[in-house]
Amino acid sequence: MRSHRIAVIPGDGIGQEVIEAGKKVLSALAEKSGDLCFEFVDFDWSSQRYLEKGEYIPAGGLDKLSRFDAIYFGAVGSQDVPDHISLWELRLAICQGFDQYANVRPARVLPGVNSRLKGAESIDWIIVRENSEGEYSGNGGRVHQGFPDEVGTEVSVFTKKGVERIHRFAFQLAQSRPRKQLTLVTKSNAQRYGMVLWDEVFFEVAKDYPDVSIDRELVDAVTTRMVLKPETMDVIVATNLHADILSDLAAALSGSLGIAPTANLNPARTFPSMFEPIHGSAFDIAGKGIANPVGSFWTAVMMLEHLGESTAAERLMAAIERLTASGLQTKDLGGTATTRDVTQAICADIERQ
Ligand code: ATP
């Protein structure tokens, strides 16, 4: 029996609902396989905890978390806590604390899902987001607060080491895919220091991967290419902020924010990696039981791949595709199914296979 210890952090809003659904699906998969099991340990790290106790992560929390095989994360964000506090105190504390420097975001139109984009069937991208530095380095400050001459700075930090490792990761990922194509996205015309370093290191690293075909875009231009020529791209590598924006666009183009998954990887495996749906806590639909759980199921597929459970990952992905093809869809995709309907349907499908 292969057993994996999973730390579960549902967090806020619909994170609670979709992660609960994801656990059910993973348990159904384990039960069906017979030689696989998951030990889930729940953590109540959320905005509610912050409001009650003044902290998202208790003392020694990261140390405890470091002993798990993977982290299954829902969402963080609350109307009662400023976003920059919730993001930095929980999600970024884990990503940066565990050196999860590669954020991987696949985008594909699943069977039966209607994209509003013409030609969307050809979307099959993986966006690689640098996840440890850049615009999210937390390097800045505010002085003269509250006075008319107040100043705020937000300094992006790009290190050669940080840039090189994300490029190598992206090249290796591109190399593992049939098309072997990698697009570099920066803004090195206007931002002439850190972004130029990104470009230079990219072309240096490219020499080690001659079988990968490469091209380069400015971040503004790539948005039009994603919409007008989606078939021309495969793997995309970009900075922390740029890739964050591009992956929301990619998710919307491929059908809904409710479908897309993310992996925050520590490729050296010195700490556990964290897996989460790309969407946030979505207050507008939280507690109504209508959140689309498919993003958390696809997230579970990425977690299984990382845990070396490739057969289970393939089984779950096939079940997800049968589910979307069946037309049973939540409101965000134009259907009327609830989170529970979708979860029950996929568990029943796994059971039948
Ligand atoms: P964040 O800042 O954390 O990215 P956000 O509030 O900007 O979060 P989301 O919470 O991701 O954005 O959601 C944006 C909108 O997309 C929501 O208001 C919701 O209507 C829709 N949405 C997001 N995720 C889902 C889902 N799983 N199922 C259905 N609708 C969703």
Side-chain angles (χ1 to χ4, degrees):
M1 179 76 79
R2 296 180 313 284
S3 175
H4 302 287
R5 289 189 79 225
I6 313 290
V8 181
I9 309 176
D12 297 332
I14 63 167
Q16 299 270 349
E17 299 162 54
V18 299
I19 292 300
E20 193 52 40
K23 274 164 66 181
K24 285 196 180 120
V25 168
L26 281 166
S27 298
L29 201 64
E31 201 167 306
K32 182 71 184 174
S33 81
D35 59 357
L36 174 65
C37 79
F38 300 104
E39 187 196 331
F40 295 116
V41 177
D42 288 327
F43 288 78
D44 68 345
W45 301 353
S46 61
S47 294
Q48 194 184 330
R49 186 175 198 286
Y50 174 78
L51 291 167
E52 285 166 9
K53 302 192 172 155
E55 60 188 12
Y56 279 88
I57 303 179
L62 280 187
D63 196 34
K64 200 168 160 201
L65 200 62
S66 70
R67 286 178 231 126
F68 284 82
D69 298 321
I71 305 161
Y72 194 34
F73 187 91
V76 64
S78 157
Q79 282 162 317
D80 302 319
V81 183
D83 283 344
H84 66 275
I85 294 181
S86 56
L87 187 68
W88 276 95
E89 300 277 311
L90 183 56
R91 196 181 160 275
L92 290 182
I94 299 171
C95 290
Q96 299 196 349
F98 286 175
D99 206 16
Q100 296 165 347
Y101 69 82
N103 182 256
V104 179
R105 301 182 158 198
R108 187 155 63 81
V109 182
L110 299 183
V113 172
N114 281 325
S115 165
R116 276 171 242 170
L117 179 72
K118 212 169 121 218
E121 328 69 67
S122 59
I123 294 179
D124 185 5
W125 305 324
I126 298 190
I127 297 178
V128 176
R129 168 183 179 187
E130 201 296 314
N131 210 30
S132 66
E133 54 176 38
E135 305 88 344
Y136 291 23
S137 300
N139 182 15
R142 286 175 69 177
V143 287
H144 311 308
Q145 251 179 289
F147 291 95
D149 56 352
E150 182 171 350
V151 178
T153 60
E154 193 81 50
V155 182
S156 301
V157 177
F158 301 101
T159 66
K160 192 165 185 178
K161 178 185 157 204
V163 177
E164 180 173 346
R165 68 183 184 176
I166 197 66
H167 284 331
R168 283 201 185 280
F169 180 90
F171 270 101
Q172 283 159 19
L173 182 64
Q175 208 170 33
S176 72
R177 288 171 49 93
R179 289 166 65 193
K180 298 191 192 333
Q181 198 191 324
L182 179 61
T183 302
L184 164 70
V185 175
T186 55
K187 186 67 186 169
S188 50
N189 55 349
Q191 297 177 299
R192 55 193 176 152
Y193 305 112
M195 295 286 80
V196 174
L197 176 70
W198 258 69
D199 288 358
E200 283 174 8
V201 174
F202 180 85
F203 291 109
E204 202 49 46
V205 170
K207 292 178 191 158
D208 293 339
Y209 303 90
D211 53 335
V212 176
S213 62
I214 52 173
D215 61 3
R216 179 185 149 203
E217 289 282 4
L218 296 175
V219 66
D220 44 341
V222 87
T223 58
T224 54
R225 182 164 158 198
M226 287 166 77
V227 174
L228 300 176
K229 294 183 188 162
E231 71 287 356
T232 63
M233 280 182 298
D234 179 16
V235 180
I236 299 162
V237 63
T239 67
N240 216 328
L241 176 64
H242 291 167
D244 187 28
I245 298 166
L246 295 180
S247 46
D248 265 30
L249 172 61
L253 292 177
S254 42
S256 164
L257 214 53
I259 290 178
T262 282
N264 300 283
L265 299 179
N266 172 319
R269 295 181 185 252
T270 45
F271 288 102
S273 294
M274 179 161 77
F275 302 83
E276 56 175 332
I278 175 174
H279 62 75
S281 46
F283 323 117
D284 53 333
I285 56 165
K288 295 186 180 161
I290 56 167
N292 188 346
V294 170
S296 73
F297 302 160
W298 194 349
T299 296
V301 171
M302 296 187 87
M303 185 164 74
L304 289 167
E305 282 163 356
H306 182 76
L307 293 170
E309 297 293 349
S310 51
T311 308
E314 276 164 30
R315 274 193 202 144
L316 179 52
M317 198 64 220
I320 292 170
E321 295 191 10
R322 280 192 296 273
L323 172 89
T324 55
S326 76
L328 187 76
Q329 289 172 346
T330 42
K331 198 166 164 228
D332 54 312
L333 293 174
T336 54
T338 62
T339 313
R340 198 168 162 187
D341 297 335
V342 172
T343 309
Q344 279 176 349
I346 196 160
C347 289
D349 177 285
I350 290 168
E351 178 59 32
R352 269 196 309 276
Q353 295 305 315

